[in-house]
Amino acid sequence: MIIQPRIRGFICLTAHPEGCAAHVQEQIDLVKSRGPLEGGPKSVLVVGASTGYGLASRIAAAYGSGAATLGVFFEKPPTEKKTASPGYYNSAAFEKAATADGLFARSLNGDAFSEELKQQAIQLIKEGPGQVDLVVYSLASPRRTDPTNGETYKSVLKPVGQAFSAKNLNTDKKEVEDVTLPPAEGDDVAQTVKVMGGEDWELWMDALAEAGVLAEGAKSVAYSYIGPEVTWPIYKDGTIGQAKEDVERAARAISQKHGAQALVSVNKALVTQASSAIPVVPLYISLLYKVMKAKGTHEGCIEQMDRLLRSQLYAAAGPSLDEAGRIRIDDWEMDAEVQAEVAALWPRVTTEQIDEMSDFAGYQAEFLKLFGFGLPGIDYTAETDPLVEVPSLA
């Protein structure tokens, strides 16, 4: 079939296997260009490994440190008439490349929240590297079924306490508009914490430790975001922010229970499938990209994760932590001069000036890249077979 992007809202309904593979190769090449990471991880489990920061973590560990990797994800496989989800093609491309380069790479496609998948992962670790010395938890999901009681919880993106009105970028229409979001109600906060909080991270670490596959002195990291005040009502102070506070609680609990160094890394705002769904954030990212690219400090997911491993988690002096005990690789984004320039643009940006005042073109290009579109060297008018296998799932 000829595969073209079909965009609906903040999601693209199609993905291009060759384009996804080219995007993965770009990230591999970036890590290889920076040379080996001395003293890095040797065996890594990535929960949520198929897109965004999770995929970049897997690539950075494998190609920076030669690590064996096990990736866990929930992605839609292809059929003869429909493409797979992009994370499926990403994982297929990563496994193919890693195997060709002599690296151990296995994948599990299923419900990472389930006890069954945790046990499957443990079995693969036992059959492969034996233990893991780094666990990356990078799971984003709209719902979770609790394995202990069978109840399904749903997360929401809402402010807490009162409605929130702000500028927003309608990426479909390329229009700057006002948006008002109703506040959380009922058990919205509790449900979001159950899905996006730290409980499942703890359950993964408990299961790994109990099975004896968590190496002594292992590290673990989960990802968060804080951002500027303009985004706080919908993120930091909203339902998702409440869940991220629980992730920080889980980090402390894991460190105490298992002797592992469990940390939260606060990362930069980037175009990901998750961030594209958050109101206000696309406009902020478009302005941020404009400012940071002009300063030469812009990073994508792979640059962020490579820097996380090299300058923080596996730095000779150990990670530098903020007052709350978090790693901050959002430091370049939150630089006072960068934020002042974004803040000056925010009240002035309009639909008519969106191209001049922001990097909306860069936002769009990065969004399409997530689904394998817009990569150089790919003929998007050619017939393409959507049936690609993830080797270890075949």
Side-chain angles (χ1 to χ4, degrees):
M1 66 174 70
I2 296 174
I3 303 172
Q4 297 288 333
R6 289 175 51 218
I7 298 171
R8 182 181 298 165
F10 54 83
I11 195 73
C12 184
L13 302 177
T14 52
H16 199 286
E18 293 176 16
C20 288
H23 192 200
V24 168
Q25 190 61 50
E26 277 188 355
Q27 296 177 71
I28 291 172
D29 291 344
L30 183 282
V31 176
K32 290 169 72 172
S33 74
R34 296 187 172 180
L37 167 60
E38 299 298 334
K42 295 306 174 192
S43 178
V44 182
L45 168 65
V46 183
V47 183
S50 53
T51 63
Y53 278 124
L55 173 65
S57 301
R58 190 177 191 186
I59 293 171
Y63 283 91
S65 187
T69 62
L70 170 59
V72 175
F73 48 81
F74 187 62
E75 296 289 350
K76 180 186 70 175
T79 68
E80 290 185 356
K81 296 183 178 180
K82 289 186 178 181
T83 70
S85 52
Y88 187 94
Y89 290 140
N90 290 340
S91 300
F94 171 81
E95 273 204 23
K96 182 179 180 181
T99 301
D101 291 332
L103 297 169
F104 178 95
R106 300 290 185 275
S107 299
L108 284 171
N109 189 16
D111 181 8
F113 296 127
S114 70
E115 179 62 25
E116 178 185 7
L117 206 75
K118 290 178 175 66
Q119 292 306 315
Q120 290 178 18
I122 287 167
Q123 188 59 39
L124 283 177
I125 293 167
K126 288 181 176 179
E127 293 172 0
Q131 290 186 317
V132 289
D133 58 7
L134 174 62
V135 179
V136 174
Y137 192 85
S138 183
L139 205 58
S141 174
R143 61 184 58 85
R144 171 184 174 226
T145 298
D146 189 328
T148 61
N149 61 19
E151 187 171 346
T152 298
Y153 301 89
K154 296 181 180 179
S155 63
V156 295
L157 286 164
K158 291 182 179 180
V160 173
Q162 59 186 10
F164 170 55
S165 298
K167 277 187 173 181
N168 183 54
L169 176 58
N170 184 320
T171 53
D172 278 353
K173 299 179 180 178
K174 196 181 175 181
E175 292 179 355
V176 178
E177 59 189 18
D178 291 328
V179 63
T180 298
L181 303 169
E185 56 187 8
D187 63 351
D188 281 347
V189 171
Q191 292 244 355
T192 303
V193 170
K194 285 289 286 188
V195 178
M196 294 295 292
E199 185 176 74
D200 185 61
W201 184 20
E202 282 189 88
L203 291 175
W204 269 99
M205 297 300 286
D206 290 347
L208 296 169
E210 184 177 336
V213 297
L214 191 63
E216 184 177 351
K219 300 176 188 289
S220 187
V221 64
Y223 300 137
S224 188
Y225 182 67
I226 294 177
E229 288 190 31
V230 70
T231 67
W232 284 4
I234 189 61
Y235 201 97
K236 177 177 175 288
D237 297 334
T239 52
I240 190 68
Q242 302 284 319
K244 292 302 184 181
E245 285 186 11
D246 190 66
V247 172
E248 293 183 25
R249 174 207 58 77
R252 295 188 291 270
I254 291 166
S255 296
Q256 291 171 359
K257 279 192 289 186
H258 303 304
Q261 185 181 34
L263 294 167
V264 171
S265 175
V266 180
N267 302 343
K268 177 194 175 191
L270 286 171
V271 182
T272 65
Q273 290 185 61
S275 71
S276 299
I278 306 174
V280 180
V281 170
L283 179 57
Y284 168 71
I285 289 177
S286 297
L287 297 173
L288 179 71
Y289 276 25
K290 176 85 168 181
V291 173
M292 294 191 73
K293 285 180 180 179
K295 292 183 178 298
T297 58
H298 172 69
E299 292 177 308
C301 285
I302 191 61
E303 290 90 350
Q304 281 263 290
M305 295 298 94
D306 185 74
R307 182 155 70 96
L308 173 66
L309 295 187
R310 293 177 192 270
S311 72
Q312 294 291 336
L313 285 179
Y314 295 95
S320 301
L321 307 179
D322 69 6
E323 69 283 352
R326 301 170 297 215
I327 295 172
R328 300 297 296 266
I329 56 167
D330 65 339
D331 49 350
W332 297 355
E333 172 189 351
M334 299 311 296
D335 173 77
E337 191 173 297
V338 168
Q339 286 301 314
E341 291 189 30
V342 174
L345 292 169
W346 185 267
R348 297 189 292 116
V349 65
T350 63
T351 298
E352 293 72 25
Q353 295 174 304
I354 191 66
D355 287 325
E356 175 189 346
M357 296 182 67
S358 82
D359 185 29
F360 180 62
Y363 180 97
Q364 285 185 307
E366 287 300 310
F367 178 81
L368 287 172
K369 249 186 172 182
L370 298 176
F371 302 89
F373 297 106
L375 277 296
I378 305 297
D379 183 358
Y380 291 100
T381 65
E383 290 282 342
T384 302
D385 186 359
L387 295 177
V388 175
E389 291 182 339
V390 178
S392 67
L393 298 179

